[in-house]
Protein backbone atom coordinates (compact mmCIF):
# COMPACT_ATOMS: atom_id res chain seq x y z
CA UNK A 1 0.00 0.00 0.00
CA UNK A 2 1.37 3.45 -0.91
CA UNK A 3 1.77 6.09 1.76
CA UNK A 4 -1.04 8.14 0.21
CA UNK A 5 -3.32 5.07 0.34
CA UNK A 6 -2.46 4.54 4.01
CA UNK A 7 -3.52 8.12 4.81
CA UNK A 8 -6.61 7.88 2.59
CA UNK A 9 -7.77 4.67 4.31
CA UNK A 10 -7.03 6.01 7.80
CA UNK A 11 -9.26 9.04 7.16
CA UNK A 12 -11.98 6.93 5.55
CA UNK A 13 -11.98 4.62 8.58
CA UNK A 14 -11.83 7.54 10.99
CA UNK A 15 -8.54 6.49 12.57
CA UNK A 16 -6.98 9.74 13.75
CA UNK A 17 -3.71 8.28 15.15
CA UNK A 18 -3.16 6.30 11.94
CA UNK A 19 -3.90 9.37 9.80
CA UNK A 20 -1.40 11.40 11.81
CA UNK A 21 1.24 8.65 11.66
CA UNK A 22 0.62 8.27 7.93
CA UNK A 23 1.14 11.98 7.30
CA UNK A 24 4.31 11.95 9.43
CA UNK A 25 5.72 8.98 7.50
CA UNK A 26 4.80 10.50 4.13
CA UNK A 27 6.52 13.79 5.03
CA UNK A 28 9.62 11.91 6.15
CA UNK A 29 9.62 9.99 2.88
CA UNK A 30 9.73 13.31 1.02
CA UNK A 31 6.20 13.57 -0.32
CA UNK A 32 5.09 17.19 -0.67
CA UNK A 33 2.55 18.62 1.75
CA UNK A 34 0.35 19.59 -1.20
CA UNK A 35 0.42 16.01 -2.56
CA UNK A 36 -0.47 14.58 0.86
CA UNK A 37 -3.28 17.07 1.25
CA UNK A 38 -4.78 16.80 -2.24
CA UNK A 39 -4.51 13.05 -2.77
CA UNK A 40 -4.63 11.72 0.79
CA UNK A 41 -6.78 14.02 2.92
CA UNK A 42 -9.00 15.84 0.42
CA UNK A 43 -9.36 12.69 -1.66
CA UNK A 44 -10.57 10.72 1.35
CA UNK A 45 -13.03 13.42 2.45
CA UNK A 46 -14.48 13.54 -1.05
CA UNK A 47 -15.13 9.80 -0.77
CA UNK A 48 -16.61 10.28 2.71
CA UNK A 49 -19.03 12.79 1.19
CA UNK A 50 -19.96 10.29 -1.53
CA UNK A 51 -20.50 7.51 1.03
CA UNK A 52 -22.71 9.82 3.10
CA UNK A 53 -24.74 10.84 0.09
CA UNK A 54 -25.25 7.21 -0.97
CA UNK A 55 -26.41 6.30 2.54
CA UNK A 56 -23.41 4.14 3.43
CA UNK A 57 -22.03 6.60 5.99
CA UNK A 58 -24.04 8.53 8.56
CA UNK A 59 -23.22 11.69 10.53
CA UNK A 60 -21.11 9.90 13.21
CA UNK A 61 -18.88 8.21 10.60
CA UNK A 62 -18.58 11.53 8.81
CA UNK A 63 -17.57 13.28 12.00
CA UNK A 64 -14.99 10.68 12.97
CA UNK A 65 -13.48 10.81 9.47
CA UNK A 66 -13.41 14.61 9.66
CA UNK A 67 -11.52 14.45 12.95
CA UNK A 68 -9.00 12.00 11.50
CA UNK A 69 -8.53 14.33 8.56
CA UNK A 70 -7.98 17.31 10.83
CA UNK A 71 -5.36 15.51 12.90
CA UNK A 72 -3.41 14.91 9.71
CA UNK A 73 -3.93 18.49 8.59
CA UNK A 74 -2.50 19.80 11.85
CA UNK A 75 0.84 18.18 11.01
CA UNK A 76 0.83 19.55 7.48
CA UNK A 77 0.17 23.14 8.51
CA UNK A 78 3.78 24.22 9.18
CA UNK A 79 4.90 22.55 5.96
CA UNK A 80 2.29 24.40 3.90
CA UNK A 81 3.12 27.65 5.64
CA UNK A 82 6.87 27.16 4.95
CA UNK A 83 6.36 27.70 1.23
CA UNK A 84 5.17 31.28 1.90
CA UNK A 85 8.06 33.75 1.79
CA UNK A 86 6.54 37.00 2.97
CA UNK A 87 3.05 38.05 4.00
CA UNK A 88 1.17 38.60 0.79
CA UNK A 89 -1.69 40.19 2.70
CA UNK A 90 -3.97 39.57 5.68
CA UNK A 91 -7.10 37.45 5.43
CA UNK A 92 -9.88 37.00 7.99
CA UNK A 93 -11.45 33.61 7.37
CA UNK A 94 -14.54 32.14 8.98
CA UNK A 95 -17.59 29.94 8.53
CA UNK A 96 -20.77 31.99 8.60
CA UNK A 97 -23.39 32.12 11.34
CA UNK A 98 -25.27 28.87 12.00
CA UNK A 99 -22.73 26.73 10.15
CA UNK A 100 -20.30 24.44 11.97
CA UNK A 101 -18.49 22.94 8.97
CA UNK A 102 -14.85 23.92 9.20
CA UNK A 103 -12.78 21.44 7.21
CA UNK A 104 -13.04 23.36 3.93
CA UNK A 105 -12.55 26.67 5.73
CA UNK A 106 -9.45 25.29 7.49
CA UNK A 107 -8.08 24.04 4.18
CA UNK A 108 -8.63 27.42 2.57
CA UNK A 109 -6.86 29.08 5.52
CA UNK A 110 -3.93 26.69 5.25
CA UNK A 111 -3.60 27.12 1.49
CA UNK A 112 -3.67 30.88 1.98
CA UNK A 113 -0.92 30.57 4.58
CA UNK A 114 0.96 28.39 2.13
CA UNK A 115 0.59 31.15 -0.44
CA UNK A 116 2.14 33.61 1.99
CA UNK A 117 -0.90 35.22 3.57
CA UNK A 118 -1.28 35.99 7.25
CA UNK A 119 -4.50 34.27 8.25
CA UNK A 120 -6.78 35.27 11.09
CA UNK A 121 -9.13 32.35 11.69
CA UNK A 122 -12.40 33.48 13.26
CA UNK A 123 -13.70 29.92 13.54
CA UNK A 124 -17.20 28.67 12.82
CA UNK A 125 -20.69 30.09 13.44
CA UNK A 126 -19.29 33.61 12.97
CA UNK A 127 -21.90 36.37 13.05
CA UNK A 128 -21.82 39.27 10.55
CA UNK A 129 -21.02 41.55 13.52
CA UNK A 130 -17.98 39.44 14.43
CA UNK A 131 -16.67 39.68 10.85
CA UNK A 132 -17.18 43.45 10.99
CA UNK A 133 -15.35 43.65 14.34
CA UNK A 134 -12.42 41.64 12.95
CA UNK A 135 -12.04 44.01 10.01
CA UNK A 136 -12.26 47.02 12.34
CA UNK A 137 -9.69 45.61 14.79
CA UNK A 138 -6.99 44.63 12.29
CA UNK A 139 -5.79 45.66 8.91
CA UNK A 140 -7.59 43.00 6.91
CA UNK A 141 -7.21 42.91 3.13
CA UNK A 142 -9.58 40.04 2.38
CA UNK A 143 -12.56 38.53 4.18
CA UNK A 144 -13.07 34.86 3.26
CA UNK A 145 -16.53 33.46 4.00
CA UNK A 146 -17.36 29.77 4.02
CA UNK A 147 -20.86 28.23 3.97
CA UNK A 148 -21.67 24.54 3.56
CA UNK A 149 -25.41 24.58 4.09
CA UNK A 150 -28.07 26.03 1.83
CA UNK A 151 -29.71 27.29 5.03
CA UNK A 152 -26.61 29.32 6.01
CA UNK A 153 -25.90 30.80 2.57
CA UNK A 154 -28.10 33.85 3.34
CA UNK A 155 -25.66 34.65 6.15
CA UNK A 156 -22.93 35.13 3.55
CA UNK A 157 -25.04 37.89 2.03
CA UNK A 158 -25.89 39.24 5.50
CA UNK A 159 -22.14 39.53 6.21
CA UNK A 160 -21.52 41.43 2.96
CA UNK A 161 -24.40 43.75 3.87
CA UNK A 162 -23.03 44.26 7.39
CA UNK A 163 -19.62 45.24 5.98
CA UNK A 164 -21.40 47.77 3.73
CA UNK A 165 -23.46 49.16 6.61
CA UNK A 166 -20.29 49.60 8.71
CA UNK A 167 -18.66 51.54 5.86
CA UNK A 168 -15.95 48.90 5.44
CA UNK A 169 -16.93 47.31 2.14
CA UNK A 170 -14.54 49.43 0.06
CA UNK A 171 -11.62 48.61 2.36
CA UNK A 172 -11.76 44.85 1.93
CA UNK A 173 -12.17 42.26 -0.78
CA UNK A 174 -14.72 39.56 -0.08
CA UNK A 175 -14.20 36.01 -1.34
CA UNK A 176 -16.73 33.28 -0.76
CA UNK A 177 -16.90 29.50 -1.10
CA UNK A 178 -18.34 26.22 0.15
CA UNK A 179 -20.21 23.38 -1.52
CA UNK A 180 -23.55 25.15 -2.24
CA UNK A 181 -21.95 28.47 -3.16
CA UNK A 182 -21.51 29.42 -6.83
CA UNK A 183 -19.90 32.10 -8.94
CA UNK A 184 -23.39 33.34 -9.86
CA UNK A 185 -24.29 33.67 -6.16
CA UNK A 186 -21.09 35.63 -5.53
CA UNK A 187 -22.06 38.08 -8.30
CA UNK A 188 -25.65 38.28 -7.06
CA UNK A 189 -24.69 39.28 -3.51
CA UNK A 190 -21.86 41.62 -4.54
CA UNK A 191 -18.88 39.54 -3.36
CA UNK A 192 -15.58 40.13 -5.17
CA UNK A 193 -14.88 36.49 -5.94
CA UNK A 194 -15.68 32.81 -5.58
CA UNK A 195 -13.54 29.73 -5.91
CA UNK A 196 -14.50 26.06 -5.82
CA UNK A 197 -11.54 24.78 -3.81
CA UNK A 198 -8.68 25.73 -1.54
CA UNK A 199 -5.95 25.82 -4.17
CA UNK A 200 -8.03 28.09 -6.40
CA UNK A 201 -8.83 30.21 -3.32
CA UNK A 202 -5.12 30.90 -2.83
CA UNK A 203 -4.75 31.93 -6.49
CA UNK A 204 -7.84 34.12 -6.22
CA UNK A 205 -6.50 35.86 -3.11
CA UNK A 206 -3.21 36.60 -4.87
CA UNK A 207 -5.08 38.00 -7.87
CA UNK A 208 -7.19 40.18 -5.53
CA UNK A 209 -4.04 41.63 -3.94
CA UNK A 210 -2.62 42.43 -7.39
CA UNK A 211 -5.71 44.45 -8.41
C1 LIG B 1 -17.97 16.43 7.19
C2 LIG B 1 -19.40 16.90 7.11
C3 LIG B 1 -20.03 17.24 8.30
C4 LIG B 1 -19.34 17.25 9.65
C5 LIG B 1 -18.54 18.58 9.77
C6 LIG B 1 -17.25 18.42 10.55
C7 LIG B 1 -16.40 19.64 10.47
N1 LIG B 1 -15.59 19.84 11.50
O1 LIG B 1 -16.43 20.43 9.52
C8 LIG B 1 -20.55 17.17 10.67
C9 LIG B 1 -20.85 15.73 10.96
C10 LIG B 1 -20.39 17.97 11.95
C11 LIG B 1 -21.67 17.72 9.77
C12 LIG B 1 -22.85 18.22 10.28
C13 LIG B 1 -23.92 18.59 9.50
N2 LIG B 1 -24.04 18.45 8.15
CO1 LIG B 1 -22.53 18.09 6.99
N3 LIG B 1 -21.33 17.39 5.74
C14 LIG B 1 -20.08 16.99 5.85
C15 LIG B 1 -19.59 16.52 4.46
C16 LIG B 1 -19.63 14.99 4.37
C17 LIG B 1 -18.20 16.91 4.07
C18 LIG B 1 -17.89 18.39 4.20
C19 LIG B 1 -16.42 18.54 4.08
O2 LIG B 1 -15.73 18.72 5.06
N4 LIG B 1 -15.92 18.38 2.85
C20 LIG B 1 -14.51 18.38 2.59
C21 LIG B 1 -14.05 19.81 2.37
C22 LIG B 1 -12.59 19.75 1.95
O3 LIG B 1 -14.80 20.37 1.29
P1 LIG B 1 -15.67 21.73 1.42
O4 LIG B 1 -16.11 21.95 2.78
O5 LIG B 1 -16.65 21.77 0.32
O6 LIG B 1 -14.60 22.87 1.13
C23 LIG B 1 -13.93 23.04 -0.11
C24 LIG B 1 -14.67 23.99 -1.07
O7 LIG B 1 -16.07 24.03 -0.87
C25 LIG B 1 -13.99 25.30 -0.89
N5 LIG B 1 -14.40 26.21 0.19
C26 LIG B 1 -14.97 25.95 1.37
N6 LIG B 1 -15.08 27.07 2.10
C27 LIG B 1 -14.58 28.07 1.36
C28 LIG B 1 -14.44 29.43 1.62
C29 LIG B 1 -13.87 30.25 0.66
C30 LIG B 1 -13.70 31.70 0.95
C31 LIG B 1 -13.47 29.71 -0.58
C32 LIG B 1 -12.90 30.60 -1.62
C33 LIG B 1 -13.58 28.34 -0.84
C34 LIG B 1 -14.15 27.53 0.14
O8 LIG B 1 -12.65 24.92 -0.63
C35 LIG B 1 -12.64 23.78 0.23
C36 LIG B 1 -11.39 22.99 0.07
O9 LIG B 1 -11.15 22.58 -1.27
C37 LIG B 1 -20.63 17.22 3.52
C38 LIG B 1 -20.89 16.50 2.17
C39 LIG B 1 -20.16 17.14 1.01
N7 LIG B 1 -20.06 16.40 -0.04
O10 LIG B 1 -19.73 18.28 1.06
C40 LIG B 1 -21.88 17.24 4.40
C41 LIG B 1 -22.95 18.29 4.17
C42 LIG B 1 -22.34 19.66 3.88
N8 LIG B 1 -23.63 18.34 5.46
C43 LIG B 1 -24.92 18.44 5.36
C44 LIG B 1 -25.81 18.49 6.45
C45 LIG B 1 -27.29 18.46 6.11
C46 LIG B 1 -25.35 18.56 7.78
C47 LIG B 1 -26.20 18.64 9.06
C48 LIG B 1 -27.43 19.59 8.96
C49 LIG B 1 -26.59 17.18 9.39
C50 LIG B 1 -27.52 16.98 10.56
N9 LIG B 1 -28.67 16.44 10.22
O11 LIG B 1 -27.19 17.30 11.67
C51 LIG B 1 -25.19 19.12 10.10
C52 LIG B 1 -25.14 20.68 10.21
C53 LIG B 1 -24.30 21.18 11.37
C54 LIG B 1 -24.11 22.68 11.26
N10 LIG B 1 -24.93 23.48 11.94
O12 LIG B 1 -23.24 23.15 10.56
C55 LIG B 1 -25.36 18.53 3.90
C56 LIG B 1 -25.77 19.94 3.47
C57 LIG B 1 -26.99 19.93 2.58
C58 LIG B 1 -27.33 21.30 2.14
N11 LIG B 1 -27.46 21.46 0.83
O13 LIG B 1 -27.51 22.22 2.90
C59 LIG B 1 -24.12 17.93 3.16
C60 LIG B 1 -23.91 18.48 1.73
C61 LIG B 1 -24.35 16.38 3.10
C62 LIG B 1 -25.56 16.01 2.26
N12 LIG B 1 -25.38 15.63 1.00
O14 LIG B 1 -26.67 16.03 2.75
N13 LIG B 1 -21.36 17.61 8.45
Amino acid sequence: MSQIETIYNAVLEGEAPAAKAGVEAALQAGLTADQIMQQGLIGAMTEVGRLFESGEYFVPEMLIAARAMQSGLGLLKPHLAQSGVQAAGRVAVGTVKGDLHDIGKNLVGMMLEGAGFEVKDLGTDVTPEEFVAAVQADHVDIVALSALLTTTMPNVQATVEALKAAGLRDRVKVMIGGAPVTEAYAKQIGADGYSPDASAAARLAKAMMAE
Side-chain angles (χ1 to χ4, degrees):
M1 202 190 295
S2 77
Q3 267 152 336
I4 292 290
E5 277 169 346
T6 305
I7 297 164
Y8 184 99
N9 290 336
V11 171
L12 211 58
E13 284 153 26
E15 290 168 1
K20 208 171 168 183
V23 169
E24 215 155 27
L27 284 171
Q28 266 164 21
L31 273 76
T32 67
D34 189 50
Q35 201 179 355
I36 297 169
M37 187 172 83
Q38 296 297 340
Q39 295 169 16
L41 301 178
I42 296 184
M45 284 311 295
T46 305
E47 177 62 5
V48 168
R50 196 194 65 74
L51 289 169
F52 179 74
E53 278 153 35
S54 65
E56 286 170 72
Y57 268 24
F58 296 96
V59 171
E61 285 93 343
M62 231 162 50
L63 186 54
I64 295 165
R67 285 194 185 142
M69 187 210 194
Q70 284 187 316
S71 69
L73 278 180
L75 276 183
L76 281 186
K77 192 170 175 171
H79 296 269
L80 289 168
Q82 255 171 29
S83 59
V85 199
Q86 58 184 25
R90 188 177 290 179
V91 187
V93 55
T95 306
V96 298
K97 187 180 170 192
D99 202 320
L100 302 175
H101 294 86
D102 67 356
I103 298 168
K105 182 265 297 170
N106 292 345
L107 281 173
V108 168
M110 284 172 21
M111 286 305 288
L112 289 171
E113 279 180 352
F117 285 87
E118 195 181 321
V119 175
K120 189 180 165 78
D121 188 348
L122 305 178
T124 59
D125 192 18
V126 183
T127 63
E129 296 72 30
E130 287 168 326
F131 278 110
V132 166
V135 175
Q136 278 165 340
D138 283 310
H139 172 76
V140 170
D141 300 297
I142 300 172
V143 177
L145 307 170
S146 180
L148 262 286
L149 299 168
T150 42
T151 50
T152 57
M153 270 174 73
N155 293 330
V156 177
Q157 181 169 16
T159 304
V160 174
E161 296 300 331
L163 287 168
K164 270 187 204 157
L168 299 169
R169 186 63 190 92
D170 294 340
R171 263 174 47 189
V172 287
K173 296 279 184 190
V174 176
M175 62 193 278
I176 69 172
V181 176
T182 61
E183 182 88 58
Y185 183 68
K187 287 211 172 84
Q188 182 194 321
I189 66 164
D192 298 299
Y194 155 84
S195 81
D197 61 50
S199 317
R203 278 199 305 277
L204 175 62
K206 280 192 160 174
M208 282 176 164
M209 293 305 292
E211 273 171 18

